Amino acid sequence: MREVKVDADSRTTAQRLRDALATMVRTPSTGVAVQPLTATTLCQIAGISRNALYRYHPEVLAALHEAQRSARGPSGAPARQAKLLRQENRELREQLGKLAALVDHYFAAWQDAHLMLERRERELAELRRAAGPHVVSMRR
């Protein structure tokens, strides 16, 4: 039976990676990160190769990705806001089209009413001229 030798250095490498990540995540009182949150920076601080990080330490890599997401703020917030703004713009365009149709409708209705009123005024004026003045006695 072959004995599997556990690499004692892997634990120290993992610990160095965790310490490096903790150092990178800490921010001074200004709120600005001291180091950029990248795999390259993490590996440089820990003193290991990027290949070793990706191959042997996926949990540290996942922690790095989580730190990057939290540094960016709420995930997807700008994309969600942009989507909401696009939806609102679509709705406003639809409402604008409906409003333009209503304005056209009411303008056409006003024109019809205005023309009908002018025609009635002309007809009344013609009837008054044709009827002539009639004197009506108030006594019987």
Side-chain angles (χ1 to χ4, degrees):
M1 188 154 149
R2 189 168 177 209
E3 217 175 293
V4 177
K5 190 174 184 183
V6 176
D7 188 10
D9 230 333
S10 68
R11 182 166 182 238
T12 59
T13 302
Q15 188 57 44
R16 283 194 323 231
L17 280 167
R18 283 191 212 91
D19 292 343
L21 184 59
T23 301
M24 290 171 59
V25 171
R26 275 190 227 116
T27 56
S29 60
T30 60
V32 179
V34 177
Q35 303 274 342
L37 291 172
T38 62
T40 303
T41 306
L42 177 66
C43 292
Q44 286 173 349
I45 293 171
I48 67 162
S49 70
R50 286 179 61 219
N51 287 341
L53 171 67
Y54 286 106
R55 181 175 287 166
Y56 301 113
H57 305 285
E59 71 285 348
V60 176
L61 190 60
L64 174 65
H65 290 160
E66 183 59 36
Q68 289 171 334
R69 275 192 290 277
S70 65
R72 277 188 234 124
S75 63
R80 193 174 25 240
Q81 187 176 14
K83 183 178 178 182
L84 290 174
L85 287 174
R86 280 193 296 275
Q87 167 112 17
E88 186 178 348
N89 282 343
R90 268 193 304 276
E91 291 170 359
L92 287 173
R93 280 190 205 106
E94 287 176 15
Q95 289 176 357
L96 184 62
K98 291 176 184 177
L99 182 62
L102 276 174
V103 167
D104 286 345
H105 171 76
Y106 284 118
F107 181 71
W110 173 83
Q111 279 183 324
D112 288 344
H114 182 71
L115 290 173
M116 187 171 32
L117 184 61
E118 283 180 346
R119 189 175 66 234
R120 296 286 161 97
E121 289 290 327
R122 277 193 312 270
E123 289 172 356
L124 282 173
E126 286 175 16
L127 286 173
R128 285 185 190 122
R129 267 193 308 266
H134 290 290
V135 178
V136 178
S137 148
M138 301 285 282
R139 290 186 210 180
R140 281 194 177 203

